[in-house]
Amino acid sequence: MSAEATNPEAHPEARPELRRRGRSRIDLRRLGRAALLGPTSRDRLPDAIGHVAEAHRAHHPDADMSILRRAYLLAESSHRGQMRKSGEPYITHPLAVTLILAELGAETTTLTASLLHDTVEDTDVTLDQVRAEFGDEVCFIVDGVTKVEKIDYGAAAEPETFRKMLVATGNDVRVMSIKLADRLHNMRTLGVMRPEKQARIAKVTRDVLIPLAERLGVQALKTELEDLVFAILHPEEYESTRALIAAHAGERDPLPGIADSVRAVLREAGISAEVQVRPRHFVSVHRIARQRGELRGSDFGRILVLVGENADCYGVLGELHTCFTPVVSEFKDFIATPKFNLYQSLHTAVATPEGYVAEVIVRTRQMHRVAEAGVVALGNPYATATPDATADPDEERVDPTRPGWLSRLLDWQQSAPDPDTFWTVLRAELAQDREITVFRADGGTLGLPAGASCIDAAYAQHGEAAHGCIGARVNGRLTSLSSALSDGDTVQLLLAQDASSGPAAEWLDHARTPAARIAISSWLEAHPDRAMATTTAARAPLSVVGARGGGANAVADLPDATVRLAGCCTPVPPDDVAGFLVRGGAVTVHRVHCAAVAQMRAVGRTSVAVHWRATADCRVTLLAESFGRPHLLADLTEAIAHEGVEVVSATVEPPVEGRVRHTYTLQLPDAAGLPALMRAMRDVPGVYDVSRA
């Protein structure tokens, strides 16, 4: 990756992988000299990668080291004579990147590709040579992390390189693991670069690499990258945070004492657990300081409790909440509902008798490994796969570890051929730091960024067919397409039958995913006339009045009285009805369950017995709720006429969030046909409900 280097001792506080295991810091200059001299014996591992071998065996005791020896020899010989800008032999860079991954527990194939990750880009080694010597897996990963030629792409080289790596990551997440470790070592050794170049690299790291590390769950790399970027882009805040941590180091830290109390509680409860104090990294301290103002001693770290089984996590939680005062608002269960980046833990906070509040994280040791190393901890995603001799070697490989957000990214990047659009949208997509899962009506699931709307769900499920989406039901209730979805919602998307339907311009105000925004924008650009039509101002209600039919078919037990059917409930045969005498000697007829009946009785209106005539014709008012689309009024009117029903009057209200309400007063030749009429109206595309007024 053509690393730029400086003093390898820079930012020593940002070397958690060495500090955690208690190893002495590795002298890259000494390793560089060893690399130049070469191994003393061709039968054993070169001294220069002894630290890599030691770290690798700690996670994989039975690993075959011979392939690492061969990879190192090829990397060392091909990079021989190349120097980093700091003056160090270039081989120190792939060695350092490989050591980072070995510390995280990466398997042998990843380490082999890591040693070779710059050979194709910066030396005469070809992909065919890598494939012949180390196999297809290593060749695929090395190709995935190799930059595109700047001479071919010019200013678009960086976006296109990331596009290439992301597509490769979709097939094998180990590609991005190496890229993240590569960027970490380059960030550690960035000091010899000009300040403006340091800032440019740090911004790309902040906007793209750190979100990718978060999404892939590689917290050990993400936290150190955050601190290194923080130091470059915000030097004043970094120095003030450094001073704050240094001042705390000279004070009494309450966390070790709280950890001892937790150990005693768990020991008494018979729960085997390891209790550690985990200091916060610089960015975390800075965030807490901004949130809480003045920090107390317990704010500079958290307590980590590691147990053997999932059930033990909840046992620990019960003991903590019994023996300490829990801060209820701080409790989060990421075991029952893991984060989208594989993270699982219980988070809580407890108050001690001394008044300190300590945050506590409870997880199993396996959860801890995944929390630190993320996808790196998953090892080779193909190790348990059954080889298929008939598989096409050129076919895209399906990675079982591919998360939903990555699948979405791979889908929309195909619709963004312009590098600038891809780069801008990629940063916006990665800025979404939380994901939700919604259930489809057919039983499938959709992974969406937090804040996604029904519009995003439509394009995630149906692609370009979502142009014809006219509405959605969320958890069984009809809602507008602009409605935001929550984790666990069930969404049913309603598509128009009219193939010419298209999205409205205001959909862009509610679309959060790049796939939806790109698809909507492309359709609007291709249909400028239709796009203008969707943004026209709302019109006044449209009313249509037809010839009025005969009088009411209700009869009152009051001679010569005028009978009127109440408009509030529009009773029709064979509804149970009640009549009341009103001003002018008229009798109004209501359904017995109408709210107006109680009001009539409350004000002392005279009750009059009413019954239906023998004739079956009736007048009724119906409300049709629908999603707006062209020709909807004509289709509804045609459906009504097909049932042999006369339209007395019709009113169409202006659309609100794409929804339209139609009010029809209808004269039916037979009241028994009312259910069939309402069904016919509901069957009109775009109509989602028909009810009596």
Side-chain angles (χ1 to χ4, degrees), residues 234-361:
H234 306 282
E236 294 181 1
E237 290 92 335
Y238 179 83
E239 288 303 325
S240 64
T241 304
R242 179 197 286 274
L244 194 62
I245 294 174
H248 166 69
E251 301 174 354
R252 177 182 173 273
D253 188 349
L255 285 177
I258 298 173
D260 289 338
S261 299
V262 171
R263 289 189 190 96
V265 166
L266 299 181
R267 190 183 309 115
E268 185 176 348
I271 299 176
S272 176
E274 178 183 351
V275 182
Q276 305 174 5
V277 175
R278 299 263 291 182
R280 293 184 185 274
H281 64 292
F282 277 51
V283 171
S284 180
V285 171
H286 178 68
R287 288 173 182 155
I288 294 295
R290 294 185 62 182
Q291 293 172 3
R292 303 178 185 175
E294 184 176 355
L295 298 183
R296 304 187 66 188
S298 58
D299 293 329
F300 286 87
R302 293 182 289 188
I303 293 176
L304 174 66
V305 180
L306 300 178
V307 294
E309 303 292 338
N310 287 19
D312 294 336
C313 295
Y314 294 97
V316 170
L317 183 70
E319 294 298 327
L320 291 175
H321 285 189
T322 300
C323 300
F324 299 92
T325 302
V327 181
V328 179
S329 61
E330 296 294 324
F331 173 67
K332 298 180 182 67
D333 186 347
F334 295 119
I335 294 178
T337 55
K339 290 186 178 182
F340 68 92
N341 61 358
L342 311 176
Y343 179 87
Q344 287 184 288
S345 291
L346 296 177
H347 287 211
T348 189
V350 295
T352 67
E354 296 78 19
Y356 291 110
V357 174
E359 294 184 30
V360 184
I361 300 173

Side-chain angles (χ1 to χ4, degrees), residues 59-81:
H59 293 277
H60 305 276
D62 300 326
D64 179 8
M65 298 294 175
S66 62
I67 189 173
L68 291 182
R69 182 177 73 86
R70 290 190 289 114
Y72 170 77
L73 292 175
L74 176 59
E76 186 275 327
S77 61
S78 60
H79 287 298
R80 187 172 297 166

Side-chain angles (χ1 to χ4, degrees), residues 164 210 216 283 354 459 472 475 496:
K164 175 174 178 279
I210 289 175
L216 294 172
V283 171
E354 296 78 19
Y459 283 94
N475 302 325

Side-chain angles (χ1 to χ4, degrees), residues 368-678:
H368 180 60
R369 181 167 175 254
V370 173
E372 290 291 293
V375 295
V376 179
L378 299 177
N380 183 353
Y382 313 104
T384 58
T386 301
D388 184 0
T390 63
D392 182 355
D394 295 328
E395 184 179 353
E396 181 184 25
R397 303 184 302 176
V398 178
D399 191 336
T401 64
R402 180 196 290 185
W405 64 265
L406 182 54
S407 295
R408 293 198 311 274
L409 189 151
L410 295 174
D411 289 340
W412 68 253
Q413 67 86 22
Q414 296 178 351
S415 304
D418 175 30
D420 290 337
T421 300
F422 167 77
W423 198 231
T424 301
V425 178
L426 174 65
R427 295 185 184 204
E429 164 76 359
L430 294 176
Q432 305 285 344
D433 59 356
R434 195 167 64 85
E435 185 166 286
I436 62 173
T437 299
V438 299
F439 297 92
R440 293 165 24 179
D442 60 7
T445 60
L446 296 172
L448 298 169
S453 66
C454 295
I455 294 171
D456 298 303
Y459 283 94
Q461 180 173 348
H462 297 293
E464 291 190 358
H467 292 331
C469 193
I470 56 176
R473 291 185 184 272
V474 177
N475 302 325
R477 300 183 64 182
L478 195 81
T479 187
S480 64
L481 286 172
S482 62
S483 297
L485 296 167
S486 299
D487 198 34
D489 281 346
T490 298
V491 59
Q492 177 186 4
L493 300 160
L494 309 175
L495 300 182
Q497 302 300 317
D498 183 1
S500 64
S501 298
E506 57 264 27
W507 285 17
L508 288 171
D509 297 333
H510 307 288
R512 297 290 179 269
T513 58
R517 296 187 62 83
I518 290 173
I520 295 168
S521 298
S522 298
W523 190 92
L524 294 174
E525 290 174 3
H527 302 80
D529 296 338
R530 295 283 298 279
M532 290 293 295
T534 62
T535 58
T536 55
R539 296 166 300 207
L542 171 64
S543 297
V544 178
V545 181
R548 295 191 175 271
N553 54 351
V555 178
D557 292 346
L558 190 65
D560 301 325
T562 301
V563 178
R564 295 201 302 256
L565 299 180
C568 56
C569 59
T570 59
V572 298
D575 292 343
D576 294 330
V577 291
F580 295 91
L581 189 64
V582 296
R583 291 184 180 91
V587 175
T588 61
V589 180
H590 297 261
R591 283 187 276 172
V592 293
H593 298 297
C594 178
V597 170
Q599 297 174 358
M600 290 286 190
R601 289 171 178 161
V603 299
R605 296 290 186 187
T606 302
S607 179
V608 178
V610 294
H611 62 275
W612 296 109
R613 289 175 179 168
T615 57
D617 67 314
C618 67
R619 180 174 296 184
V620 65
T621 300
L622 298 179
L623 298 179
E625 302 279 354
S626 65
F627 296 103
R629 65 170 179 83
H631 313 301
L632 178 60
L633 178 60
D635 292 345
L636 267 171
T637 305
E638 181 180 353
I640 293 169
H642 189 267
E643 295 297 318
V645 176
E646 179 186 358
V647 178
V648 177
S649 66
T651 301
V652 183
E653 300 178 12
V656 176
E657 291 189 344
R659 291 181 290 181
V660 182
R661 171 179 287 191
H662 304 248
T663 304
Y664 294 94
T665 301
L666 306 171
Q667 188 73 29
L668 279 71
D670 188 342
L674 181 58
L677 170 65
M678 296 175 70

Side-chain angles (χ1 to χ4, degrees), residues 173-184:
V173 292
R174 293 174 292 184
V175 171
M176 192 54 66
S177 299
I178 293 176
K179 176 59 182 177
L180 291 171
D182 173 83
R183 179 54 60 96
L184 175 58

